[in-house]
Each structure stands twice: as structure tokens, then as C-alpha cells.
Amino acid sequence: MPITMPTAVIEGTQLTVMPFRTDAVIGTMSVATLVQLVPSPRREEDTKTLKAASGAVRRHAELRALVQRALKSTQKGKNVGSYAEYIADGVNGGLGAGWSTPPITFWHAGPLAALSDELLPGTALRTMTIAPGTSVVAIDGETQTTAWHELYDDPERFGLMYAELAQVRVPFELYVDLSVADARQIFYDRNVQGVAVAKNLAMSMDQRDFATRLAHRVAEAVKVDIDGRLVPFTKFVNATKRQVGKAESEVVTLSAMRALVITAVYGKGGLSRSAETVHEDELPAATTAEQVEQCVVPALARLIAAHAAHFLSRSALTAPAVLAGLGIAVHHTTPWADPSNAMSADVLDRLLAGIHWEREARYWDGVAAKAGASGRLNFSGGVKDSGGRVADALLYPGTEAGRRIRGQ
């Protein structure tokens, strides 16, 4: 009597998903599922490890190489460790609610093993089954994928435990049964078509950056008189753009305010830090974050209030390079300034009293801006290019630049 074979059972990894295209779904998965479905990209680039790997892993590595760039010896690879630390800080609560990782974009190279009907009519939720050995490749978010592998391989190294990682859900989108050419196109579109955010602007959004926090506090500390009504200066600071348009109510960008703060803290040394994150443990020697804030915020707020009219008229004072130069001048009034260059706030006020802040070539051409053939000034030189020249002109009235901005 022949033995009857059992009814075929579809085996594999099951995920609850929601389709948003006929060939794509979104959902979340556990970290354990992620590291099981998608081999570590770092290991796949290790020749010795790959030789000893299973045939499925070697095939996955070959497929990955068709649609992804290398990790080894690249900035992308160098970012994995810091990304893992960032995720760990977020998972253990160190970053509060102010942290995020984008959904990872996966490519399922082949048809699904199974896709159920709607689990609940009208919800679009379904159960998707991925067969064992199927190649699932991260075509966008591979650095994050590698970081999750680092965390899962050794959570204690990052101050985590497996129990904490078990609570995490990783959001993803998954494209099913696309050709290699289509997967490559998605990689291109995600990595090239988007407009990269300017680093200075990105820094101005970082609320864990000490200089950004101080820039906000400086703006909050100033009130300007508008037709007899006191208005917070924050109303005139644009925190989302690199430049302020003529038709906008704001007069200065937050990134420019940040340059003012950084140079006030570090002096000319701050010019090279304008596009870097400022950590509290990197402040000038023998200072604390509280001391720096108590000194810099009122000093800058006082100057902005005193020159409010020049700010509101969008004078040269609102240009990032000019603000950076002003910050360098303010640095000389701080308790941690070099004693050989130190000055009082009264001396600084006298130095600033005779300056022409109007956006005119006769004052600012060659100092913070360049005049075109039509005589129109261009202040786009930037903080690093012109901030030092502006500071010298502000601090040394006897120089050619110092006389120029004073109309002499």
C-alpha cells in the first residue's frame, strides 16, 4: 500500500504587509527577522568569510553586487559604526523621541512563496510568505541594515541587550519580482534624484547640536519693536532655508545665526567648525556648557537688539560671513578669550559704532562681498571665505578694510 504524501505546506518567513503597488508592499519586521532574511553586507564583502559561507549566501552576495555599492574602504562603510551607536542610543531612550531611521527598501528577487487574502476586509493587510533561500537585498538603507547586524551580533558592545532589541520593529518597503535593471533604477532614483541637503542647513536643524540650541536661545532672548509692539526675534529667523527670499518676512537664516554663535564661542577657530556638530565636551578649555551659554546668549542678544534696525532692513549685517566676523569680535569679550586680545563690551561697542552696514559696494566690496559689473554686491562667498576678513575689518579700524567699512 503506497504511503499518501502530506498536503503541501508553504514554509518560510511570514510578514504582515500592506500592498501600495501591484509589485510592492510596506510593513515592519523584527530585528531578528531582518538579520535572518538579509545577510550582513559587511560579511558578504569579506572574501574569507564568503568562501566558507553557504551557497545561498554566496548567490545573495553576487546578486547584491549587481545593485549595490561597496562598503569596504568607503565612507559608507565607515558610517556603519556611528549609525549603530545612534540607533542604540535611540533604542535605550537616550535620544528621547527625537530620533528616527527611514524605512529600508528591499528587493525580493523572484516571486513570493505566498500572499494571503485580506486579513480583515477593507484593511489591505495581508500575510506574505518568503521562501527559505530567497534573496532579499537592501537597495536603499544598506548602511542601516549593516548597523542592525552589528547591533544584533554584539548588543552589549552598544549598551543594549537582546531583550531590548526584541521589542524593536524595523519599517520597510519591499519590491517583489523586479528585474535587476529595475532594482538598479530604484537604487539610482533613491540615491541620485533627491536633492542633498546643504550641510550647514542640516546642522541648523540638529537639536542635539550645542551651537544650534544656543542660536535658538539667542533669537528667543531678543524682542524687537515693530510699530510700538514687541515681537520675538524668532519671527525673523528662517530655520528651513539656506537663503532668505526677498518676499519672505524673515531676514536671517538659522544657519547664519549658528555661525555667529560658533565664532563667538571659538573665535577664528570657529570658522572651520561652521559645518560640524558642536558637542559640549569640545567647548573651550576650562569652560562648561552652562558658563558658555550664560556668557554668549546675553552678549549676542544685546548686540542684535542694539542693531535691530540693521537686521530688519536686511543690511550687510544679516549676511552669514558678516555675522561670523561679528562673532569673532564678540569672542574677544568672553572670559576664555586670549588675554592678549581681550577687550570689554564697551570697547567692542565703540568699534562697531561707526560701521556702515548698508549693502553697498563702497563699504563691503572685497571685505565680505564681491561687486559685479553692474555694481550689485554678491555676499555668497561664505563664512570660511570671508568671516576672517570681516573680523579684521571690525577689530582694526586702521586697516584698509577697517577704513572701508567705516566710509573713510
Side-chain angles (χ1 to χ4, degrees):
M1 176 181 175
I3 299 174
T4 304
M5 296 299 291
T7 303
V9 176
I10 299 173
E11 298 179 340
T13 302
Q14 291 192 336
L15 299 170
T16 300
V17 298
M18 179 182 290
F20 65 93
R21 270 175 31 176
T22 57
D23 55 5
V25 299
I26 57 174
T28 66
M29 66 175 71
S30 67
V31 181
T33 299
L34 186 154
V35 299
Q36 177 189 19
L37 280 179
V38 188
S40 167
R42 196 189 291 283
R43 290 199 196 97
E44 289 192 341
E45 291 185 6
D46 187 316
T47 306
K48 291 182 179 179
T49 300
L50 199 58
K51 282 182 178 179
S54 66
V57 171
R58 291 198 301 273
R59 288 192 295 273
H60 185 282
E62 292 172 0
L63 196 62
R64 171 188 171 268
L66 296 176
V67 297
Q68 262 295 351
R69 50 186 169 158
L71 279 172
K72 193 174 182 179
S73 302
T74 65
Q75 187 59 48
K76 176 183 173 183
K78 293 176 182 176
N79 288 342
V80 170
S82 59
Y83 206 156
E85 290 173 357
Y86 169 75
I87 294 173
D89 286 343
V91 171
N92 66 25
L95 303 180
W99 74 286
S100 172
T101 56
I104 302 172
T105 302
F106 293 120
W107 168 41
H108 184 288
L112 292 172
L115 182 65
S116 74
D117 293 331
E118 281 187 308
L119 300 178
L120 186 65
T123 64
L125 290 173
R126 308 197 178 182
T127 298
M128 181 181 77
T129 303
I130 299 176
T134 300
S135 289
V136 178
V137 179
I139 50 177
D140 190 50
E142 192 178 59
T143 305
Q144 183 188 157
T145 300
T146 312
W148 283 117
H149 271 276
E150 300 275 309
L151 289 166
Y152 199 77
D153 286 346
D154 189 5
E156 291 83 3
R157 172 184 158 203
F158 297 93
L160 293 175
M161 300 177 67
Y162 281 111
E164 292 173 297
L165 287 177
Q167 304 300 314
V168 175
R169 303 295 298 179
V170 181
F172 69 89
E173 58 177 342
L174 186 145
Y175 291 82
V176 179
D177 203 15
L178 299 187
S179 67
V180 172
D182 286 337
R184 283 175 171 167
Q185 189 63 51
I186 292 175
F187 172 88
Y188 173 87
D189 292 348
R190 291 299 177 88
N191 289 279
V192 178
Q193 293 285 49
V195 178
V197 178
K199 194 168 184 181
N200 281 345
L201 175 59
M203 285 293 174
S204 72
M205 295 293 197
D206 185 1
Q207 300 308 299
R208 284 186 289 275
D209 174 67
F210 183 69
T212 297
R213 296 203 306 272
L214 252 59
H216 280 293
R217 285 169 189 163
V218 169
E220 292 164 359
V222 180
K223 301 290 189 295
V224 294
D225 189 315
I226 305 293
D227 299 326
R229 183 169 56 95
L230 291 179
V231 178
F233 189 68
T234 52
K235 296 285 186 182
F236 304 102
V237 179
N238 190 310
T240 62
K241 292 186 177 180
R242 190 178 181 182
Q243 293 181 328
V244 177
K246 292 182 180 179
E248 293 170 325
S249 60
E250 297 93 349
V251 299
V252 67
T253 64
L254 183 61
S255 60
M257 291 286 292
R258 185 176 178 277
L260 171 66
V261 166
I262 290 176
T263 52
V265 173
Y266 294 100
K268 281 192 175 180
L271 295 175
S272 62
R273 303 182 65 106
S274 61
E276 298 177 0
T277 299
V278 175
H279 300 285
E280 292 186 12
D281 58 0
E282 299 172 341
L283 294 175
T287 67
T288 65
E290 184 179 6
Q291 290 170 338
V292 170
E293 180 176 349
Q294 289 176 349
C295 174
V296 169
V297 171
L300 296 181
R302 182 183 68 84
L303 279 179
I304 292 173
H307 294 84
H310 297 299
F311 276 95
L312 298 180
S313 66
R314 299 179 185 237
S315 73
L317 190 52
T318 60
V322 177
L323 284 176
L326 179 61
I328 293 171
V330 171
H331 173 76
H332 292 303
T333 70
T334 63
W336 57 88
D338 184 340
S340 64
N341 296 318
M343 66 175 65
S344 67
D346 289 340
V347 171
L348 178 60
D349 288 342
R350 288 197 293 272
L351 287 172
L352 300 179
I355 293 172
H356 287 270
W357 300 107
E358 299 92 330
R359 285 181 176 250
E360 296 183 17
R362 54 179 168 162
Y363 304 128
W364 296 99
D365 182 25
V367 181
K370 293 181 180 179
S374 64
R376 184 175 179 273
L377 279 179
N378 183 348
F379 281 85
S380 62
V383 169
K384 294 181 181 179
D385 295 335
S386 306
R389 288 198 302 271
V390 172
D392 290 342
L394 297 177
L395 293 169
Y396 306 111
T399 62
E400 180 181 350
R403 292 193 300 271
R404 175 181 283 273
I405 65 173
R406 292 170 174 82
Q408 300 172 357

